[in-house]
Amino acid sequence: MKDLAEKHIVLGLSGGIACYKAAELCRLLLKAGATVQVVMTQAAEQFMTPVTMQALSQRAVYGSQWDPRAANNMAHINLTREADVCLVAPASADFIAKLAQGQADDLLTLMCLARPADRVPLLIAPAMNREMWLHPATQRNVVQVQADGAVVLGVGHGDQACGETGDGRMLEPMELLDELISFFQPKVLAGQQVLITAGPTYEAIDPVRGITNLSSGKMGFAIARAAREAGATVTLVAGPVSLPTPRGVNRIDVKSALDMLTAVKQHEPTASIFIAASAVADWRPASTSESKIKKDGSGQPPELQFVENPDILATLAQSERGRSRALFCVGFAAESHDLMANAQAKRARKGVPLLVGNIGPDTFGQDDNALLLVDENGARELSRDSKLSLARKLMAEVAHRIGAGEVNDEN
Ligand code: CTP
């Protein structure tokens, strides 16, 4: 099922150069399964034609409160009655000012004012020059529209169309899509602090070589995104992977298992949930050569000695906070065979209330997975699905177990 399936979105455009991004956003919303009704101000039509937005949204665009197409001549009422959300992107300084004052002299502001606010939330994506954004009048208006119930999605930082650099850019279409998808996810982990490890670790032999494994980090990153979507504050300690950081997640990059342990210990005291999705290397070279190890001409490979890495999950699970469940610890088990028996044995050995088993070679690097949830009462399968869908189901399970939310039992 697509992330925005069955969602009807009213996409409002006010005047600003960022209207060019609204075209791409419209495409992304449709691709994610939504239906989109575009409403444009006259100023927006200076930057983007209604023809383009109609072609992309596959629906006639509305721009005037006097539009005679609506039988009752009340486009400002009709347009939001079937909507799941109104998203105004770009939201200009002028639009936000009007919204703050309850002005309604064009279709977009009129429609925002006339929408049933209790069931059709209003999200706005500001876009303007940095001076306009920082101006006390704009900041005052932003505070006011938030107090009136609008969700202000924040702004990007960087080069602006005017040639200046700073805050005020509209978020990128992909970021807005993620924000919207996140908005619709149940906030089952609101108030929770989730600490996650992800990806492989890299254990250096010398400055140019090391040992690592095939973990892509995708499952851990999907969990970080899902936890954030569920309303948690998320810290993600990531081994060497080249994945984008999920929006709103605090990411700490590490290389070795020892680095990972240090970062985890630093953030553990404030965490309420720890999820160990990393494929931590079990061993590291006993010593790391400071210079590249050269062949010595004898034909003999160098003799490498290994020492065992600390078990990060077991360390936390068996700490006082872990044992008392003040820190709810979730482990993963990447197995190659006998998943049920190995996962059950591993759960007991690590001392975690919940362990998630998967077959490593079936999932490393892939976008989907199948999980086996093992706890003291037995096991439950989460059948093959995208890693993000599984991560969302896992977050609902964790929320249920810590008494923070209700599990959706559809799977
Ligand atoms: N783990 C960890 N620190 C380690 C090793 C593993 O935190 N040094 C965590 C992993 O993140 C995972 C769980 O422990 O959540 C199990 O990891 P896995 O590699 O499947 O098991 P191992 O503990 O390495 O056991 P074995 O090698 O016997 O399978």
Side-chain angles (χ1 to χ4, degrees):
M1 178 132 155
K2 291 183 176 177
D3 282 327
L4 293 179
E6 292 166 17
K7 298 287 184 230
H8 181 58
I9 297 166
V10 175
L11 174 61
L13 278 66
S14 58
I17 188 65
C19 279
Y20 81 92
K21 294 186 188 173
E24 178 67 14
L25 173 62
C26 183
R27 276 191 71 236
L28 291 176
L29 295 175
L30 260 77
K31 267 176 113 173
T35 49
V36 178
Q37 173 62 58
V38 175
V39 176
M40 298 174 73
T41 64
Q42 275 191 4
E45 290 183 18
Q46 297 290 320
F47 295 93
M48 171 66 69
T49 70
V51 174
T52 304
M53 296 309 294
Q54 176 173 345
L56 291 173
S57 66
Q58 297 163 24
R59 277 173 183 249
V61 170
Y62 280 79
S64 163
Q65 67 269 46
W66 313 119
D67 193 321
R69 279 175 296 177
N72 60 358
N73 220 305
M74 292 189 197
H76 66 292
I77 303 286
N78 308 343
L79 290 174
T80 57
R81 292 308 182 264
E82 304 303 321
D84 292 289
V85 69
C86 284
L87 168 64
V88 179
S92 66
D94 178 57
F95 169 78
I96 297 170
K98 282 181 174 168
L99 201 61
Q101 292 195 352
Q103 287 187 27
D105 62 355
D106 63 14
L107 177 60
L108 186 60
T109 49
L110 192 57
M111 186 194 75
C112 288
L113 203 63
R115 80 186 201 285
D118 53 336
R119 62 183 171 82
V120 185
L122 173 63
L123 275 61
I124 66 171
M128 66 199 74
N129 163 271
R130 65 188 177 126
E131 300 293 355
M132 293 169 74
W133 174 246
L134 290 175
H135 196 285
T138 304
Q139 289 302 313
R140 201 167 54 232
N141 291 334
V142 165
V143 170
Q144 185 59 54
V145 300
Q146 280 173 320
D148 291 345
V151 177
V152 180
L153 294 175
V155 291
H157 177 91
D159 293 344
Q160 302 202 305
C162 53
E164 297 181 0
T165 303
D167 287 338
R169 285 168 59 97
M170 188 168 86
L171 296 179
E172 297 305 317
M174 213 43 208
E175 294 175 317
L176 290 173
L177 176 70
D178 286 352
E179 287 280 359
L180 209 55
I181 291 170
S182 177
F183 182 80
F184 286 115
Q185 294 301 316
K187 303 295 170 226
V188 291
L189 291 179
Q192 302 295 324
Q193 307 255 352
V194 182
L195 178 62
I196 300 162
T197 62
T201 64
Y202 176 86
E203 312 296 332
I205 295 170
D206 67 16
V208 295
R209 306 184 185 92
I211 54 169
T212 185
N213 58 62
L214 288 175
S215 165
S216 64
K218 285 182 179 174
M219 192 68 223
F221 274 60
I223 291 170
R225 173 172 172 171
R228 174 74 188 137
E229 287 178 345
T233 303
V234 181
T235 301
L236 173 65
V237 180
V241 293
S242 53
L243 294 173
T245 309
R247 216 173 139 61
V249 166
N250 171 32
R251 172 176 179 171
I252 298 160
D253 284 322
V254 296
K255 268 191 167 174
S256 68
L258 291 179
D259 296 341
M260 189 172 269
L261 178 64
T262 305
V264 162
K265 277 186 167 167
Q266 217 169 19
H267 289 85
E268 173 272 322
T270 52
S272 51
I273 298 166
F274 174 58
I275 302 174
S278 168
V280 184
D282 289 321
W283 303 281
R284 66 179 183 277
S287 63
T288 305
S289 171
E290 292 210 342
S291 52
K292 184 181 173 192
I293 301 170
K294 294 288 205 185
K295 293 193 284 284
D296 62 8
S298 68
Q300 292 296 315
E303 273 202 11
L304 296 176
Q305 304 286 329
F306 289 93
V307 290
E308 198 169 307
N309 270 325
D311 191 318
I312 301 170
L313 174 61
T315 305
L316 266 64
Q318 285 156 30
S319 70
E320 209 181 304
R321 294 188 70 233
R323 285 202 315 270
S324 71
R325 304 278 194 266
L327 180 68
F328 187 87
C329 292
V330 181
F332 266 74
E335 306 295 340
S336 59
H337 59 284
D338 291 341
L339 184 56
M340 180 76 82
N342 279 319
Q344 273 165 340
K346 199 166 277 184
R347 189 190 82 80
R349 199 168 73 236
K350 304 259 179 181
V352 291
L354 179 63
L355 190 119
V356 184
N358 58 174
I359 297 290
D362 283 358
T363 183
F364 277 178
Q366 315 262 338
D367 289 324
D368 60 357
N369 199 356
L371 303 179
L372 185 70
L373 307 189
V374 179
D375 65 12
E376 60 184 352
N377 299 317
R380 173 176 175 211
E381 265 181 55
L382 295 184
S383 53
R384 199 146 201 102
D385 206 340
S386 74
K387 287 184 176 175
L388 183 56
S389 289
L390 290 170
R392 286 177 182 149
K393 287 174 189 163
L394 180 60
M395 290 307 95
E397 281 280 346
V398 170
H400 182 62
R401 280 154 204 267
I402 64 170
E406 286 311 308
V407 70
N408 173 1
D409 226 344
E410 277 168 17
N411 42 70

